[in-house]
Amino acid sequence: MATQNTSKVIAVDPGERRSGLAISAGPIAVALPTLQMKGDGKDADRIAKIARDAEAGRIIVGLPLNMDGSEGPRARAARDFGESIRAVTDLPVEFWDERLSTAEGEARLREAGLDRRELSKRSDAAAAIVILESYMKAHR
């Protein structure tokens, strides 16, 4: 097995229809193509393959906690999805608080002048970038 570049991290903003993805590129987070979720039991395999192909050393899964820090149904679904990723890869899989990442990502896109259609297409990846930036800042 090839040695993994442990400096690269993949972040996943999990969703029912789409999951936003981002990868660390040195000190910055860069969007990857959004993954259309098929619900066919292979979505975790697709994310594991993306991480392998990118030679990532870690996968971060956004955990949508309630504002009071508790876990609701969406957080449980994210944990289940993260565990399914963990089951198909030898990479460490961590969960990271993603509260308000979608709102912040969309605000950044609006600030960049994107229209509603473009904002809709890019909001999942923007949220993944916010999650990854938060993770990288905490681990400097």
Side-chain angles (χ1 to χ4, degrees), residues 1-133:
M1 180 177 178
T3 303
Q4 296 294 328
N5 178 350
T6 57
S7 65
K8 287 185 184 177
V9 179
I10 298 277
V12 181
D13 176 40
E16 289 182 24
R17 294 177 305 191
R18 294 180 309 273
S19 286
L21 303 172
I23 188 168
S24 61
I28 64 169
V30 178
L32 292 172
T34 298
L35 182 65
Q36 298 300 315
M37 303 300 281
K38 297 182 180 176
D40 59 0
K42 301 288 184 188
D43 293 323
D45 292 314
R46 285 187 269 283
I47 290 175
K49 181 182 183 329
I50 290 166
R52 274 191 309 276
D53 291 350
E55 298 181 343
R58 177 172 311 275
I59 300 171
I60 305 303
V61 177
L63 190 62
L65 299 173
N66 294 322
M67 291 310 290
D68 66 1
S70 65
E71 292 190 18
R74 289 183 55 233
R76 284 189 290 280
R79 281 200 186 276
D80 290 345
F81 186 55
E83 292 303 328
S84 67
I85 295 169
R86 183 177 280 142
V88 296
T89 184
D90 59 350
L91 298 176
V93 175
E94 293 181 45
F95 296 95
W96 195 255
D97 182 356
E98 70 156 60
R99 282 179 281 187
L100 301 177
S101 63
T102 299
E104 183 176 339
E106 288 178 355
R108 290 179 184 186
L109 295 174
R110 279 192 297 279
E111 199 173 282
L114 272 67
D115 63 27
R116 188 184 341 225
R117 193 172 129 240
E118 283 298 311
L119 186 123
S120 176
K121 289 190 328 191
R122 297 180 188 207
S123 64
D124 297 301
I129 288 172
V130 171
I131 293 165
L132 184 53
E133 286 176 345

